């Protein structure tokens, strides 16, 4: 099992972890350079400053996604996830985000219209806790007794033990995220230690209001509830902050779907075209003035109007889209057999600086393994078959590799 | 401000053409770096700037402007900059509180169908008061209005006609009456054929009203890490020195502290 290190912004503070051996403590300060910023924040657990522009970052729960988004999610921003067709992988990332909040002891705000937020929280994946300090009274330090460990311990080349392993999966060398085992459910003790707030849409009946406005009552109620939580729990940056600061993680599931009362996904010319965009504007306003970070999932495959999707994307900061192969002909395509789907990065924000951290590659694919959600660059395997032309395989990765113009056809030599 | 762009536009803080309506637009790209350029340019030129910032917070613009050598907080204190932070003001309108201490400028959010009259009145009051200022204040140059960005108004439910009316009124007040400049950013998404009626109409209307357009888009050949896109500059009227160059195209790369512009094919990554 690989060692994960729980890194806080205050690097001088000693790690207070019961299950670390002295040898592990020595290799805590990894060799990656971290810009020294005189941060005005008292160090908040689970955050670190970005090396590019000093922005305060939190982990999204998926280490590869953190790397893709420039180190993590910046506090005060919104991540938009365009759901895949059956909402399986986007829901997974949503749960990773919330689970990361539980493990880092952030506060959570979960809003959903389809499932009760209690049920969503009971399905969170179990963290792989070999080095995380979770206060559990009278707990034995966990010893990882898997046989894989003996393979990792090097006897001859022990100097190289500390170096990160070279891997094609996108990962940065200094990790502040955690890994989760999706085959297990998070233990109730860990979950109940977290403080969280809920908004379940069927519990909030729309008040009868006479004002005509483009905003839906469901979204207005959600915005109001979120503002109340931010102000009451001390996340508002305008008010004097309490001594111990924390981050609020906001998870909004499936906004824009019909269950929220919105008809964006049902009609070609929806009546409430601007309800979701007005809500996202208000959400951005709330987040910019508070210590919180939001993940919003939208069933974009049901929205016919691409221009509307474009304006929704522009109102969020980070935006990714998941396209899973389930149920499509690509599932059996041998080119994609290693992956579960494609991941498109639609937008990366420019925050407090001119440049943005664009990803290196645009052709990315993801795979959900038991202990890791990996995002990798899509490689075309060498064509070792007798026939030269790849007939009948539809549009293989050539379409994934093309960017704005898709006029490139595969060249047959 | 970006010195290379000043050379291309043949402008400097000491001498620039007054009474211009400059339109910044982008398609599937991000032209916000041009807003930062014009903001620092006009502040250095000692103009009185009114900035309607609808999409980002004040600290974002302040952080970028400091890298470009201008301090927005100082400019605000001295009275040179009037900053409308749309995000902050909108919360009091979107979430109605009992005590209604809202800024009237963003009240169009409550009823977008009514139009942008209140926003225009805010602009007018902040731009006109400079000329009637007392002797104790420093004398600033011609007023400048910057809007970032106009297409978010469409997302919030305002009609295209209302936005075009607003830009026309601003142009009439700032450019014609007061010989100042107006810079607006409008953003499109998707191919030109897929645009919905509203944003296409807005784009065409604003292009017609402007005298200089800078259109930013990605490279036609695809994504490249070293060249972030291309800028197409289009002048509508003849320039003062008689030269008539209607269109120019440059490629650019955004760095931490500036943007470098170069002719097509001469990027340092290629040569």
């Amino acid at each position: 099992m690989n060692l994960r290190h729980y890194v806080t912004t205050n690097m001088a503070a000693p790690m207070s972890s019961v299950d670390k051996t002295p040898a592990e403590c020595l290799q805590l300060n990894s060799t990656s350079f971290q810009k020294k910023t005189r941060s005005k924040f008292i160090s908040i657990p689970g955050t670190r400053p970005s090396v590019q522009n000093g922005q305060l970052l939190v982990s999204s729960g998926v280490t590869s996604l953190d790397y893709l988004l420039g180190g993590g999610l910046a506090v005060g921003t919104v991540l938009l996830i365009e759901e895949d067709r059956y909402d399986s992988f986007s829901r997974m990332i949503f749960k990773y985000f919330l689970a990361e909040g539980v493990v880092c002891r952030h506060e959570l705000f979960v809003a959903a219209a389809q499932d009760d937020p209690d049920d969503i929280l009971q399905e969170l994946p179990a963290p792989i806790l070999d080095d995380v300090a979770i206060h559990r009274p009278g707990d034995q330090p966990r010893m990882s007794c898997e046989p894989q460990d003996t393979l990792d311990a090097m006897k001859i080349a022990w100097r190289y033990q500390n170096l990160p392993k070279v891997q094609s999966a996108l990962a940065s060398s200094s990790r502040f995220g955690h890994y989760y085992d999706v085959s297990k459910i998070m233990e109730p003790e860990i979950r109940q230690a977290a403080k969280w707030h809920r908004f379940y849409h069927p519990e909030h009946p729309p008040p009868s209001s006479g004002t005509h406005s483009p905003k839906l009552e469901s979204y207005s109620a959600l915005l109001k509830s979120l503002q109340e939580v931010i102000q009451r729990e001390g996340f508002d940056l305008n008010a004097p902050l309490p001594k111990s600061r924390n981050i609020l993680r906001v998870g909004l599931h499936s906004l824009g779907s019909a269950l929220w009362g919105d008809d964006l996904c049902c009609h070609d010319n929806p009546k409430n075209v601007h309800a979701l965009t007005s809500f996202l504007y208000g959400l951005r306003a709330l987040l910019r003035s508070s210590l919180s970070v939001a993940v919003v999932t939208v069933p974009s495959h049901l929205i016919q109007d691409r221009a509307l999707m474009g304006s929704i994307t522009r109102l969020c900061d980070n935006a990714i889209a998941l396209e899973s192969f389930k149920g499509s002909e690509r599932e059996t395509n041998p080119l994609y057999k290693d992956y579960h789907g494609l991941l498109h990065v639609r937008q990366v924000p420019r925050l407090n600086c001119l440049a943005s951290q664009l990803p290196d590659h645009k052709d990315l694919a993801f795979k959900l393994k038991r202990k890791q959600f990996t995002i990798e660059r899509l490689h075309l395997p060498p064509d070792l078959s007798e026939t030269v032309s790849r007939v009948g395989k539809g549009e293989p990765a050539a379409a994934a590799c093309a960017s704005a113009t898709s006029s490139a056809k595969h060249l047959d030599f | 401000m970006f010195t290379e762009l000043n050379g291309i536009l043949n402008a400097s803080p000491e001498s620039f053409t007054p009474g211009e309506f400059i339109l910044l637009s982008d398609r599937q790209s991000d032209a916000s770096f041009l807003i930062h350029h014009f903001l620092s340019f006009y502040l250095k030129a000692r103009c009185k700037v009114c900035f309607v910032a609808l999409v980002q917070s004040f600290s974002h613009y302040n952080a970028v402007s400091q890298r470009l050598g201008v301090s927005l907080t100082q400019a605000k204190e001295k009275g040179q900059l009037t900053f409308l932070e749309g995000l902050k003001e909108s919360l009091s309108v979107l979430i109605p509180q009992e005590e209604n201490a809202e800024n009237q400028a963003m009240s169009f959010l409550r009823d977008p169908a009514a139009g942008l009259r209140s926003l225009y009145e805010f602009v007018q009051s902040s731009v006109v008061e400079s000329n009637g200022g007392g002797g104790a204040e420093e004398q600033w140059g011609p007023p400048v209005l910057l809007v970032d960005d106009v297409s978010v108004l469409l997302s919030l439910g305002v009609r295209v006609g209302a936005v075009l009316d607003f830009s026309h009124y601003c142009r009439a007040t700032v450019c014609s009456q007061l010989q100042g400049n107006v810079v607006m950013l409008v953003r499109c998404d998707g191919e030109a054929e897929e645009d919905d009626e509203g944003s296409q109409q807005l784009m065409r209307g604003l292009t017609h009203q402007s005298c200089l357009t800078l259109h930013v888009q990605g490279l036609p050949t695809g994504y490249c890490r070293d060249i972030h896109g291309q800028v197409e500059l289009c002048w509508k009227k003849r320039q003062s020195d008689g030269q008539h160059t209607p269109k120019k195209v440059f490629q650019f790369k955004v760095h931490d502290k500036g943007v470098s512009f170069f002719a097509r094919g001469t990027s340092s990554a290629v040569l």
Side-chain angles (χ1 to χ4, degrees):
Chain A
M1 189 181 292
N2 292 324
L3 296 165
R4 309 281 172 258
H5 299 297
Y6 186 59
V7 178
T8 64
T9 54
N10 191 356
M11 296 292 280
M15 296 297 300
S16 59
S17 168
V18 290
D19 27 22
K20 263 196 180 326
T21 66
E24 291 170 47
C25 276
L26 283 174
Q27 52 189 3
L28 168 63
N29 289 344
S30 51
T31 52
S32 75
F33 169 67
Q34 284 223 338
K35 190 160 84 170
K36 266 199 165 61
T37 49
R38 276 177 288 117
S39 74
K40 298 180 279 292
F41 292 106
I42 310 168
S43 65
I44 308 174
T47 65
R48 71 170 176 187
S50 154
V51 291
Q52 277 96 2
N53 54 7
Q55 197 75 24
L56 195 64
L57 300 177
V58 298
S59 169
S60 61
V62 180
T63 320
S64 319
L65 188 60
D66 286 342
Y67 179 74
L68 208 55
L69 297 175
L73 290 175
V75 172
T77 61
V78 182
L79 166 66
L80 171 75
I81 303 179
E82 295 186 30
E83 292 175 6
D84 52 307
R85 195 170 290 270
Y86 303 106
D87 192 23
S88 41
F89 298 105
S90 46
R91 202 187 166 87
M92 205 61 235
I93 299 186
F94 189 75
K95 286 193 282 192
Y96 274 128
F97 175 71
L98 296 175
E100 183 72 25
V102 172
V103 168
C104 297
R105 278 182 273 151
H106 296 159
E107 276 189 44
L108 305 178
F109 180 98
V110 186
Q114 184 179 353
D115 305 303
D116 194 316
D118 284 335
D119 298 337
I120 297 180
L121 254 102
Q122 273 165 14
E123 290 171 14
L124 294 184
I128 298 174
L129 291 173
D130 51 347
D131 57 349
V132 170
I134 297 278
H135 292 299
R136 272 180 285 168
D139 206 38
Q140 306 287 54
R142 277 192 188 210
M143 294 309 232
S144 52
C145 45
E146 290 180 52
Q148 265 182 356
D149 236 34
T150 54
L151 287 172
D152 282 357
M154 296 182 190
K155 288 205 168 49
I156 297 174
W158 54 273
R159 281 275 184 209
Y160 295 99
Q161 178 96 33
N162 307 342
L163 294 179
K165 295 186 178 48
V166 174
Q167 34 190 324
S168 69
L170 300 175
S172 56
S173 56
S174 74
R175 294 184 264 258
F176 78 127
H178 298 88
Y179 287 79
Y180 299 89
D181 189 341
V182 295
S183 60
K184 299 190 197 133
I185 301 289
M186 186 184 271
E187 286 175 27
E189 306 141 6
I190 313 178
R191 198 185 344 121
Q192 274 145 20
K195 192 170 174 198
W196 68 290
H197 313 270
R198 52 178 277 134
F199 183 97
Y200 186 37
H201 176 239
E203 287 171 3
H204 295 256
S208 56
S209 61
T211 58
H212 161 72
S213 69
K215 301 178 281 295
L216 276 183
E217 284 86 20
S218 53
Y219 294 144
S220 308
L222 175 58
L223 202 61
K224 197 170 169 68
S225 164
L226 182 57
Q227 192 192 38
E228 274 169 21
V229 167
I230 287 177
Q231 283 174 346
R232 196 178 60 219
E233 305 291 329
F235 296 107
D236 197 1
L237 286 171
N238 297 327
L241 290 172
K243 278 286 180 300
S244 64
R245 302 178 193 183
N246 206 350
I247 303 277
L248 178 69
R249 287 189 183 228
V250 180
L252 307 174
H253 186 247
S254 231
L255 285 185
S257 74
L259 291 167
W260 284 97
D262 204 352
D263 59 352
L264 278 184
C265 300
C266 315
H267 296 129
D268 276 339
N269 295 318
K271 250 187 338 184
N272 308 313
V273 169
H274 301 293
L276 181 57
T277 43
S278 309
F279 169 77
L280 287 174
Y281 190 75
L283 179 68
R284 181 184 255 217
L286 270 180
L287 291 184
R288 289 286 197 268
S289 59
S290 63
L291 279 176
S292 38
V293 64
V295 165
V296 174
T297 69
V298 169
S300 66
H301 53 96
L302 296 173
I303 297 178
Q304 303 300 327
D305 191 355
R306 300 318 304 169
L308 178 60
M309 209 51 230
S311 47
I312 290 174
T313 307
R314 279 202 300 273
L315 280 167
C316 302
D317 302 290
N318 290 293
I320 61 170
L322 297 174
E323 187 190 329
S324 86
F325 297 146
K326 256 197 241 179
S328 77
E329 60 186 6
R330 288 180 180 174
E331 202 172 2
T332 48
N333 191 332
L335 284 170
Y336 296 133
K337 65 171 164 37
D338 289 330
Y339 303 108
H340 285 136
L342 299 177
L343 186 138
H344 310 279
V345 177
R346 298 270 192 239
Q347 188 172 257
V348 178
R350 291 166 195 240
L351 296 164
N352 296 340
C353 63
L354 275 174
S356 59
Q357 287 95 50
L358 295 162
D360 287 347
H361 318 286
K362 285 222 145 177
D363 41 346
L364 300 162
F366 65 85
K367 182 171 178 70
L368 177 62
K369 299 194 269 214
R370 185 165 81 96
K371 293 194 178 168
Q372 203 178 7
F373 185 100
T374 45
I375 300 171
E376 291 174 15
R377 188 174 174 199
L378 188 62
H379 288 290
L380 287 178
D383 190 17
L384 299 170
S385 63
E386 294 297 310
T387 57
V388 173
S389 63
R390 300 180 190 172
V391 181
K393 301 223 172 133
E395 286 168 5
C401 297
S403 42
T405 54
S406 52
S407 58
K409 301 281 178 222
H410 27 274
L411 305 166
D412 278 338
F413 286 94
Chain B
M1 62 181 181
F2 313 139
T3 40
E4 284 167 4
L5 187 56
N6 283 347
I8 293 169
L9 293 175
N10 225 357
S12 73
E14 290 80 35
S15 77
F16 56 89
T17 329
E20 275 199 331
F21 184 110
I22 301 175
L23 181 70
L24 313 172
S25 60
D26 65 29
R27 183 174 292 282
Q28 288 185 324
S29 185
D30 191 358
S32 49
F33 64 91
L34 290 173
I35 281 277
H36 295 296
H37 160 81
F38 282 108
L39 178 60
S40 53
F41 177 86
Y42 287 117
L43 282 175
K44 281 192 184 159
R46 295 183 54 84
C47 293
K48 186 146 199 309
V49 177
C50 172
F51 192 1
V52 177
L54 297 171
V55 286
Q56 294 283 8
S57 59
F58 176 75
S59 49
H60 165 82
Y61 295 105
N62 198 15
V64 181
S65 302
Q66 276 185 338
R67 291 187 201 212
L68 298 179
V70 172
S71 166
L72 292 190
T73 27
Q74 265 183 15
K76 236 169 59 156
E77 279 162 22
K78 284 192 288 187
Q80 189 188 6
L81 172 67
T82 318
F83 196 97
L84 171 66
E85 194 171 345
L87 285 173
K88 206 165 72 159
E89 310 292 340
S90 68
L91 272 181
S92 50
V93 180
L94 285 174
I95 308 176
Q97 319 274 2
E98 282 71 33
E99 58 280 359
N100 277 3
E102 67 195 36
N103 189 342
Q104 285 304 313
M106 297 297 286
S107 54
F108 66 87
L109 283 170
R110 204 179 308 116
D111 187 17
L116 294 171
R117 192 190 186 97
S118 48
L119 188 61
Y120 167 68
E121 280 163 7
F122 167 81
V123 168
Q124 194 186 27
S125 63
S126 61
V127 153
V128 162
E129 75 182 10
S130 64
N131 293 346
E137 291 175 4
E138 291 187 50
Q139 279 305 310
W140 303 113
V144 173
L145 168 68
L146 289 122
V147 181
D148 177 20
D149 61 70
V150 160
S151 18
V152 79
L153 293 170
L154 288 187
S155 309
L156 293 170
V158 183
R159 288 177 309 110
V160 177
V163 180
L164 288 173
D165 286 342
F166 168 73
S167 70
H168 176 75
Y169 269 75
C170 289
R171 189 168 68 118
T173 311
V174 178
C175 295
S176 309
Q177 272 182 13
L178 301 169
Q179 289 300 304
N181 287 9
V182 175
V183 179
M184 289 198 182
L185 172 63
V186 64
R187 309 191 62 188
C188 312
D189 188 74
E191 304 298 317
E193 302 83 33
E194 293 174 6
D195 262 353
D196 60 346
E197 283 299 314
S199 69
Q200 224 182 17
Q201 219 180 343
L202 179 65
M203 206 32 185
R204 286 206 204 122
L206 286 176
T207 314
H208 176 75
Q209 290 179 2
S210 64
C211 36
L212 167 62
T213 52
L214 286 91
H215 186 64
V216 175
Q217 54 192 25
L219 294 178
T221 43
Y223 172 67
C224 171
R225 268 192 83 207
D226 292 306
I227 306 174
H228 292 156
Q230 69 180 28
V231 180
E232 212 174 273
L233 297 103
C234 188
W235 281 268
K236 286 296 165 54
K237 56 180 190 191
R238 293 165 62 87
Q239 292 176 297
S240 47
D241 56 354
Q243 296 240 316
H244 189 51
T245 45
K247 257 194 195 180
K248 280 192 196 173
V249 182
F250 289 91
Q251 291 176 344
F252 66 90
K253 179 170 179 180
V254 180
H255 304 291
D256 209 24
K257 290 204 178 208
V259 176
S260 57
F261 293 82
F262 36 86
R264 277 184 288 190
T266 60
S267 154
S268 54
V270 169
L271 293 179

